[in-house]
Amino acid sequence: MISVENVSKSFTLHNQGSTVIPVMAGASLHVAAGECVALVGASGAGKSTLMRMIYGNYLTASGRIMVGDTDVASAAPREVIALRRRTLGYVSQFLRVVPRVPTIDVVAEPLLLTGTGADEARAQAATLLARLNIPERLWGLSPTTFSGGEQQRVNIARGFAFAYPALLLDEPTASLDPTNRATVLAMVQEAKARGAAIIGIFHDHAAREALCDRQVDVTGFTPGLAA
Ligand SMILES: Nc1ncnc2c1ncn2[C@@H]1O[C@H](COP(=O)(O)OP(=O)(O)OP(=O)(O)O)[C@@H](O)[C@H]1O
């Protein structure tokens, strides 16, 4: 479902004499439907960078990143938007939302965009918010003023609202209390069981052990070290 093939990446620091920093070379990994793969490696090794390239936030210098039938590395912006709508979900570490949109609509949006009716989308969003213990009195408010943990749970609810065939999870259990952490672990297991291909970054060792079938150490993709 997700196939990263011989990918490389460098950053050019335009405000620092156009210094070019090679951060990745020969990155390759494959994730099948129903599989969860953890990206591991020391801080700065490139886990987030690889995840952002797979999502199409960072450009890829060379190689292919197949998600379903789309090569994210060469896709046009409209293809990336279509991919994100129906195929590839991303739970980032931080919630970024349009101000003043009520929480229930933030969570319902991925369903509305994929053809679910408004009432049904809101009903499903409500179920997710309740499951993640977001108090009902907050559902009509924008999540911009919520606590860090509340925002993270809204982010997770939104990321899991639509049954994406592929999912990227960046620290989905960070800063959650034990009850909500257990809920998120169950949600990831359910996504795997329905056949989602998942790539995750988990500093939470126990979560990684519980959820992931394999680990890929991105240190192996550091330029100069790559095979
Ligand atoms: N936008 C950017 N511009 C320049 N350099 C960047 C940028 N994003 C990442 N880097 C560099 O790329 C390297 C990999 O960073 P990345 O954030 O992917 O590491 P990580 O493995 O996710 O680390 P951590 O576990 O600390 O989050 C680092 O050396 C970082 O400084």
Side-chain angles (χ1 to χ4, degrees):
M1 184 65 212
I2 304 174
S3 190
V4 175
E5 300 164 19
N6 209 16
V7 156
S8 69
K9 171 78 186 161
S10 58
F11 289 105
T12 304
L13 306 181
H14 296 286
N15 59 351
Q16 295 183 62
S18 294
T19 306
V20 175
I21 306 176
V23 292
M24 202 167 287
S28 297
L29 68 99
H30 184 80
V31 188
E35 206 180 20
C36 179
V37 171
L39 299 182
V40 300
S43 177
K47 302 178 291 296
S48 303
T49 298
L50 182 55
M51 197 172 264
R52 288 180 187 142
M53 285 196 287
I54 296 169
Y55 198 59
N57 278 352
Y58 281 174
L59 293 175
T60 300
S62 64
R64 295 206 312 165
I65 300 179
M66 298 305 298
V67 181
D69 297 330
T70 303
D71 178 9
V72 180
S74 64
R78 77 170 60 188
E79 292 176 90
V80 174
I81 289 168
L83 183 79
R84 291 177 180 184
R85 190 163 287 183
R86 296 202 161 268
T87 307
L88 182 61
Y90 178 30
V91 177
S92 60
Q93 269 184 287
F94 302 103
L95 178 69
R96 287 180 201 83
V97 293
V98 178
R100 292 192 290 276
V101 176
T103 294
I104 188 121
D105 293 333
V106 167
V107 176
E109 190 187 21
L111 292 166
L112 293 171
L113 289 173
T114 44
T116 302
D119 289 347
E120 176 60 25
R122 281 185 148 219
Q124 289 188 30
T127 302
L128 273 165
L129 288 168
R131 187 174 183 193
L132 286 158
N133 295 307
I134 302 292
E136 193 168 347
R137 63 185 159 76
L138 299 180
W139 297 358
L141 306 176
S142 163
T144 43
T145 57
F146 289 6
S147 75
E150 286 169 343
Q151 289 193 3
Q152 191 183 4
R153 281 177 281 139
V154 172
N155 211 17
I156 289 165
R158 182 184 160 91
F160 281 83
F162 182 71
Y164 299 101
L167 264 178
L168 304 174
L169 305 175
D170 192 352
E171 296 278 10
T173 57
S175 77
L176 293 183
D177 58 75
T179 305
N180 287 309
R181 178 179 171 278
T183 301
V184 172
L185 295 188
M187 289 169 68
V188 178
Q189 290 287 19
E190 289 162 22
K192 281 181 70 178
R194 67 164 171 77
I198 301 173
I199 295 179
I201 300 172
F202 299 93
H203 286 120
D204 176 346
H205 284 250
R208 191 197 301 159
E209 290 296 315
L211 298 173
C212 294
D213 303 291
R214 284 184 291 127
Q215 299 188 1
V216 170
D217 188 343
V218 301
T219 314
F221 308 145
T222 303
L225 294 180

